Amino acid sequence: MGSPKWPPTCDITIPFLLCLVLLLLQSSVSSVVLVGLRKQQQQRSHSSSNRRPMMLRGNQSSCALFTGSWVRDETYTPIYQSSTCPFIDAEFNCQMFGRPDTDYLKYRWQPENCQIPRFNGVEFATRMRGKSVMFVGDSLGRNQWQSLVCMIAAGLPPSSPIQGPTGGDPLYTVRFLEYGVSVSFFRAPYLVDIDSVQGKRVLKLDDIRGNGNAWTGVDVLSFNTGHWWTHKGSLQGWEYMEAGGNLYEDMDRLVAMERGLRTWGRWVDANIDPTRTRVFFQGTSPTHYNPSEWNSGAISRAAAMSSNSKSCYGETMPMPMMGTGTSGTYMYPDQMKVVEAVLSSMNPPAPFLLDITMLSEMRKDAHPSIYSGDLTPEQRAKPDHSADCSHWCLPGLPDTWNQLFYTALFFLH
């Protein structure tokens, strides 16, 4: 992880006074450089004209990494193809299961005021040589894990040996043997433990020791949770919650999530050495089941709500940018407010928030919808009841998450 180069280039992209301040403070201000990599994945030399000096304050940067827009780019191509990556679950493999359009693959994320590097599988494996990466959480973490192993594999020579996935629920691992790199997924949708007590599943909001044992010694940890806290009925993953030694049949779900996340935060503070392990937390991944959330203007929200459409089925374009960047008028989920409160209370350096929520909110077009191997022909004939508008096609949006993950891991310090 190379040191940033000083002084920054003062050009028309950087106001002169800001550049002067950067130069004066270079001995005390932590800075990073994002390098615009060329399309060739093996390319190592970078043009200095593509560099953007940035100042970091915690997870915040003048680059505004997670604020920007989706740009349609006919020259943009996925790093891998679904037909050539064996690691993709059927439920994420939209092209294999009949999705007729590919426009959703023609959008690249453009941050508001900087360039980000194109993912390079060889560089990832080389920098991570002998190390381990683990995604921990629910199926959105699995979505990102499978994206990352496909992206790494696509950049390596065909002769480079790959092992996996090995293991089984809850832990799956892919190994890139030439580099000694392992990339794993550990299924823990609530992060905290679930135990069986007299045949009943008990969600232990104050206990994470069982799951945490599997996370120790990992070099890069990326956590996510969110969707399962809202599940009810047959989708609910527990019969009782336990907090403070008491059992509850239910409680306010945001309160429960915060208590569980604070248990996770205490575990990270007590068990993770930040000089050895990098910790990330993935923002809440949005769903797109209600067309009234994106139909406006020519189609009123009232009309959208009264129509027969009740899913993301048939959506082929991102939402338009509203306001400035991704902030606009989109609703910031309450779950993210809980995440931010917990992260801000943790020992420094706090886990890096991979804040993909709002940029993903715009991608109503990128879900599997009915193009999932898990669906029967009868289910596909009823998209309003069967479309998957929670997960994401691969290749697709999670590749952007991993490009930002790659940027934060190697280019932000």
Side-chain angles (χ1 to χ4, degrees):
M1 302 182 187
S3 300
K5 293 184 178 180
W6 286 86
T9 301
C10 294
D11 57 24
I12 61 174
T13 65
I14 306 173
F16 176 76
L17 289 178
L18 175 59
C19 188
L20 181 60
V21 171
L22 289 173
L23 288 169
L24 292 174
L25 297 181
Q26 60 180 285
S27 61
S28 61
V29 177
S30 173
S31 65
V32 299
V33 175
L34 288 185
V35 181
L37 298 182
R38 296 180 182 178
K39 288 185 178 180
Q40 291 83 358
Q41 292 181 341
Q42 306 288 334
Q43 184 66 38
R44 295 295 183 86
S45 62
H46 312 304
S47 168
S48 62
S49 64
N50 288 331
R51 302 181 183 217
R52 298 292 186 272
M54 300 189 304
M55 294 182 297
L56 291 182
R57 295 188 302 277
N59 290 345
Q60 300 302 313
S61 151
S62 61
C63 176
L65 196 62
F66 304 105
T67 302
S69 58
W70 289 100
V71 177
R72 186 175 176 88
D73 185 346
E74 294 299 334
T75 68
Y76 184 77
T77 56
I79 289 174
Y80 61 94
Q81 299 297 322
S82 61
S83 59
T84 59
C85 184
F87 307 112
I88 304 174
D89 281 348
E91 64 184 307
F92 310 144
N93 201 330
C94 307
Q95 291 296 313
M96 179 175 289
F97 289 95
R99 178 158 180 166
D101 65 299
T102 57
D103 282 0
Y104 68 99
L105 299 174
K106 291 296 184 181
Y107 291 91
R108 59 177 174 82
W109 177 246
Q110 176 58 61
E112 198 167 72
N113 59 352
C114 64
Q115 301 295 323
I116 55 177
R118 175 113 167 137
F119 186 93
N120 185 311
V122 170
E123 183 167 12
F124 188 100
T126 300
R127 286 179 179 249
M128 290 298 298
R129 185 181 294 275
K131 295 183 178 181
S132 55
V133 179
M134 183 181 291
F135 292 92
V136 179
D138 58 27
S139 54
L140 278 307
R142 186 182 182 96
N143 220 172
Q144 186 176 3
W145 167 65
Q146 292 182 1
S147 163
L148 182 62
V149 294
C150 288
M151 292 170 78
I152 298 171
L156 302 182
S159 59
S160 186
I162 302 174
Q163 180 188 64
T166 59
D169 194 34
L171 178 63
Y172 303 84
T173 300
V174 172
R175 293 180 174 85
F176 300 90
L177 300 180
E178 181 181 347
Y179 298 88
V181 174
S182 68
V183 184
S184 303
F185 169 70
F186 185 95
R187 183 181 179 276
Y190 303 98
L191 300 183
V192 292
D193 293 346
I194 298 180
D195 289 343
S196 178
V197 178
Q198 297 181 351
K200 301 294 185 180
R201 297 166 298 174
V202 178
L203 179 61
K204 301 206 163 188
L205 300 181
D206 300 332
D207 197 351
I208 201 170
R209 291 170 295 177
N211 287 341
N213 287 335
W215 311 336
T216 56
V218 177
D219 297 288
V220 179
L221 284 164
S222 179
F223 295 91
N224 89 289
T225 189
H227 286 218
W228 280 70
W229 293 96
T230 64
H231 288 343
K232 296 185 177 182
S234 62
L235 295 178
Q236 183 173 294
W238 46 269
E239 277 79 41
Y240 294 97
M241 291 183 177
E242 182 180 295
N246 298 313
L247 292 179
Y248 300 86
E249 291 188 348
D250 206 350
M251 68 171 66
D252 182 285
R253 299 305 179 86
L254 282 177
V255 172
M257 178 180 174
E258 181 171 1
R259 183 147 187 164
L261 269 184
R262 292 197 181 278
T263 298
W264 165 83
R266 288 192 294 271
W267 182 91
V268 170
D269 284 344
N271 293 279
I272 296 299
D273 178 358
T275 65
R276 183 193 185 283
T277 299
R278 295 282 300 277
V279 181
F280 291 78
F281 199 98
Q282 182 201 79
T284 303
S285 177
T287 62
H288 292 96
Y289 286 102
N290 185 357
S292 69
E293 295 174 356
W294 60 84
N295 283 321
S296 59
I299 302 177
S300 70
R301 289 179 179 264
M305 293 181 70
S306 64
S307 71
N308 293 326
S309 178
K310 298 179 181 178
S311 74
C312 59
Y313 173 69
E315 296 294 337
T316 59
M317 296 177 61
M319 294 185 200
M321 186 170 64
M322 301 175 71
T324 301
T326 58
S327 56
T329 59
Y330 296 122
M331 184 176 295
Y332 201 56
D334 289 337
Q335 288 182 330
M336 281 303 297
K337 297 173 186 177
V338 170
V339 169
E340 289 180 340
V342 172
L343 293 183
S344 66
S345 70
M346 294 174 65
N347 295 339
F352 185 96
L353 177 60
L354 198 70
D355 195 1
I356 53 85
T357 301
M358 301 313 292
L359 66 89
S360 302
E361 177 68 33
M362 303 170 77
R363 294 307 307 272
K364 60 183 172 60
D365 59 316
H367 294 287
S369 182
I370 63 170
Y371 306 108
S372 165
D374 292 336
L375 298 186
T376 65
E378 292 75 21
Q379 288 174 317
R380 289 181 182 170
K382 299 177 180 179
D384 289 348
H385 300 282
S386 303
D388 180 353
C389 303
S390 298
H391 301 104
W392 307 93
C393 295
L394 294 181
L397 177 65
D399 304 337
T400 297
W401 299 350
N402 281 320
Q403 186 179 6
L404 295 169
F405 174 63
Y406 170 80
T407 301
L409 183 60
F410 298 133
F411 297 92
L412 305 185
H413 302 284

